[in-house]
Amino acid sequence: MISALSTLQPRQLLTQVLNFALVLSTAFMLWKGLSVVTDSPSPIVVVLSGSMEPAFQRGDLLFLWNRGVETQIGEVVVYNVKGKDIPIVHRVVRRFGGGGQPLRLLTKGDNNLADDTELYAKGQDYLTRSEDIIGSVVGYVPFVGYVTIVLSEHPWLKKVLLGIMGVMVVLQRE
């Protein structure tokens, strides 16, 4: 592998590194473009727990939409708790306000016994639609996101895969 790198001319090596950077920047631009179109900071999320079974299983990939949504009872939303970075996927069980007043929501996992008030930030009894909700679920692909779960549970595997991808791109000859 290292001998293959040493046989590359500097111009070839630079071309391969730039190709790798192009792939990464393209993926980033697609993600940001999707974020703008959906009006969601995270337009695609992975279900991390079994709290929404049987509707969604752990590892399901969810597609979100956050434009012009008047959230209704029974709708599945993804929200962030203030001070935590992990998105939570749960169903709206009650709503307050709307129209001229700020829309406030109470959520609950389908597989949970109680509502989510214990999950919310300290002193928070409901979610504010405009501040806490990342988006409403509009579609999903079963189990595709399980790769993300495996990579987050085993961080060393992520580094190994990125290294292998980088070496493959550099060693690829056109």
Side-chain angles (χ1 to χ4, degrees), residues 13 18 22 32-33 35 41 47-48 53 58 60-61 65-66 72 75 77 82 84 88 90 94 129 135 137 148 162 165:
L13 183 62
L18 288 175
L22 181 65
K32 285 300 177 185
S35 293
V47 177
L48 299 175
E53 290 178 359
R58 187 169 190 242
D60 287 355
L61 191 70
W65 186 259
N66 203 28
Q72 302 298 323
E75 191 171 326
V77 296
K82 292 176 178 85
K84 297 179 184 173
I88 298 173
H90 282 174
R94 289 187 72 189
R129 176 68 174 94
V137 177
T148 304
L162 282 173
M165 286 173 37

Side-chain angles (χ1 to χ4, degrees), residues 27-44 64-67 134:
F28 180 73
M29 288 188 305
L30 286 171
W31 179 262
K32 285 300 177 185
L34 196 55
S35 293
V36 169
V37 168
T38 62
D39 193 28
S40 175
S42 186
I44 300 172
L64 308 182
W65 186 259
N66 203 28
R67 288 197 173 273
I134 297 174

Side-chain angles (χ1 to χ4, degrees), residues 8-145:
L8 288 176
Q9 297 295 322
R11 186 177 216 151
Q12 290 174 318
L13 183 62
L14 181 62
T15 301
Q16 298 299 3
V17 169
L18 288 175
N19 280 338
F20 186 61
L22 181 65
V23 167
L24 292 178
S25 63
T26 301
F28 180 73
M29 288 188 305
L30 286 171
W31 179 262
K32 285 300 177 185
L34 196 55
S35 293
V36 169
V37 168
T38 62
D39 193 28
S40 175
S42 186
I44 300 172
V45 296
V46 175
V47 177
L48 299 175
S49 74
S51 67
M52 279 302 291
E53 290 178 359
F56 300 113
Q57 308 292 320
R58 187 169 190 242
D60 287 355
L61 191 70
L62 306 179
F63 300 98
L64 308 182
W65 186 259
N66 203 28
R67 288 197 173 273
V69 176
E70 182 68 25
T71 307
Q72 302 298 323
I73 294 174
E75 191 171 326
V76 178
V77 296
V78 178
Y79 66 90
N80 269 340
V81 175
K82 292 176 178 85
K84 297 179 184 173
D85 275 343
I86 299 173
I88 298 173
V89 180
H90 282 174
R91 192 175 305 278
V92 174
V93 292
R94 289 187 72 189
R95 59 179 263 153
F96 312 92
Q101 298 177 333
L103 184 57
R104 300 174 300 162
L105 307 168
L106 180 64
T107 56
K108 175 186 172 296
D110 290 356
N111 203 20
N112 295 347
L113 296 175
D115 62 39
D116 292 348
T117 51
E118 294 296 321
L119 295 176
Y120 300 158
K122 188 174 183 177
Q124 187 178 14
D125 295 326
Y126 52 84
L127 300 171
T128 305
R129 176 68 174 94
S130 59
E131 296 173 15
D132 301 315
I133 303 296
I134 297 174
S136 296
V137 177
V138 293
Y140 77 102
V141 179
F143 302 113
V144 173

